[in-house]
Amino acid sequence: MRGAGAGGMGRQLKSEPIALLGIGKIARDQHIPAIARSDAFHLTATVSRSGGVDGVENHTDIAALLAARPDIGVVSLCMPPVPRFDIAMAALAAGKHVMLEKPPGATVSEVHKLERLARAKGVTLFATWHSRHAAGVARARAHLRDARITHVQIDWREDVRRWHPGQDWIWQAGGLGVFDPGINALSIMTAVLPQPVHLTAATLAFPANRDTPIAADLVFAGAAGLRVDAAFDWRQEGPQSWTITVQTTDGELRLTDGGATLHIDGVLQTVAGIGEYPGLYHRFAELIEAGQSDVDTSPLAHVADAFLLGRRTTVAAFHD
């Protein structure tokens, strides 16, 4: 449920100490720089078994962090979704405000359980979708609010060896495979379309030696005959493509570069933003101040539907 109240009174944040858990590629590339730019938070501690951050105290697990630093009331979780649930439960049970890297969980049900615990403890839970903070997304949503949409084409094609080198967890059950980037497209789709859509067909291509798909073709249906076609592929070589094209009765809207660039009827639009991950931490601070949570599971539900409804095909084995 998007924007659900977390209970309790809001409070003004003034550079609150925050702990970052899971110091991998996404933490180093995005979270640490975003926190460094934030006026609301300063990085005070990390939890990592493979190395922390220079100049910041590090702990081996969530229990050690909670015992050593009861003064830290805010945590951001960056580890893969399968091990994240128990850590999030421990943090919420201890009364911490929790931010979840996308996808918010390995299953929809566990995210709902986290949401219930956050509500019971009166703390903020923020299930993030970083692509919704891409520069062109808010403008696209506003433009489409009253539009008559006839067709949407999503093309999300990238080279897994370039973007996820050596990340075996992503090929294991619960790792999502090509839906790890594809869910970013679904998070934009669910943000900009004025009416919901539902999955009607899917084909999932699994490498012979992997538990998660390397490609997926999806079809969604909406009101008044709306159709959405989505193609996700991790085998793209050369130029990478993260594009959403929306046809309306009044013209065409196109988001490219993962939502960063917006064209309307072929004309480049001027859009601005503070950046995807800085935008997440700004939103997290707003939610804590307001005493609210933001837990929208709709992109994850679409992925779950794809695994439920999808026709499985086997393709060539993948070797990193």
Side-chain angles (χ1 to χ4, degrees):
M1 178 177 177
R2 195 179 303 175
M9 297 296 292
R11 59 192 178 88
Q12 180 68 38
L13 282 176
K14 293 184 178 179
S15 191
E16 290 282 323
I18 188 171
L20 192 60
L21 288 72
I23 309 301
K25 178 175 173 55
I26 193 66
R28 296 189 184 279
D29 289 352
Q30 301 292 348
H31 288 265
I32 292 170
I35 293 170
R37 291 176 56 186
S38 173
D39 293 330
F41 305 110
H42 59 274
L43 184 60
T44 304
T46 60
V47 171
S48 176
R49 294 179 179 175
S50 59
V53 176
D54 289 345
V56 178
E57 67 178 70
N58 184 57
H59 303 270
T60 56
D61 55 35
I62 182 65
L65 172 70
L66 295 175
R69 295 301 304 266
D71 57 307
I72 298 176
V74 183
V75 300
S76 180
L77 309 187
C78 304
M79 68 287 298
V82 171
R84 193 188 304 145
F85 172 74
D86 289 339
I87 297 168
M89 286 289 288
L92 292 170
K96 310 302 182 184
H97 303 294
V98 174
M99 176 168 151
L100 305 172
E101 177 55 85
K102 66 87 190 173
T107 70
V108 178
S109 296
E110 71 178 37
V111 181
H112 291 324
K113 186 172 183 179
L114 293 174
E115 184 180 18
R116 290 193 295 271
L117 180 57
R119 187 180 299 114
K121 299 297 289 188
V123 295
T124 290
L125 178 64
F126 183 23
T128 69
W129 301 105
H130 65 81
S131 290
R132 288 180 174 174
H133 292 264
V137 172
R139 176 78 180 275
R141 179 171 59 248
H143 182 80
L144 296 173
R145 184 174 295 123
D146 299 317
R148 170 78 181 276
I149 302 170
T150 57
H151 184 255
V152 180
Q153 179 66 49
I154 300 173
D155 291 293
W156 230 250
R157 305 173 188 273
E158 62 181 55
D159 183 353
V160 65
R161 291 184 176 91
R162 175 177 173 183
W163 300 101
H164 295 277
Q167 295 183 6
D168 288 339
W169 65 267
I170 214 162
W171 294 108
Q172 299 166 359
L176 294 190
V178 75
F179 286 107
D180 180 79
I183 204 169
N184 295 333
L186 299 178
S187 73
I188 295 174
M189 179 189 78
T190 51
V192 302
L193 294 186
Q195 300 294 330
V197 297
H198 67 278
L199 188 78
T200 60
T203 301
L204 311 182
F206 286 76
N209 60 338
R210 302 291 181 171
D211 295 328
T212 56
I214 197 168
D217 292 305
L218 313 177
V219 180
F220 299 87
L226 170 63
R227 176 179 170 125
V228 179
D229 292 284
F232 304 152
D233 202 323
W234 251 352
R235 300 165 295 189
Q236 179 78 359
E237 297 180 358
Q240 310 286 282
S241 174
W242 303 281
T243 300
I244 299 176
T245 304
V246 183
Q247 302 292 342
T248 77
T249 55
D250 294 324
E252 179 186 277
L253 178 147
R254 175 170 292 193
L255 284 164
T256 59
D257 304 321
T261 304
L262 174 65
H263 287 81
I264 297 176
D265 295 329
V267 178
L268 178 64
Q269 305 297 301
T270 301
V271 293
I274 62 174
E276 294 181 16
Y277 280 83
L280 291 181
Y281 281 94
H282 179 76
R283 175 64 175 155
F284 193 24
E286 288 182 331
L287 290 167
I288 295 171
E289 181 180 349
Q292 296 181 336
S293 286
D294 186 342
V295 186
D296 178 16
T297 59
S298 58
L300 185 60
H302 285 314
V303 173
D305 288 349
F307 279 102
L308 281 169
L309 195 59
R311 180 174 64 89
R312 177 177 177 137
T313 63
T314 301
V315 297
F318 174 82
H319 299 284
D320 201 352

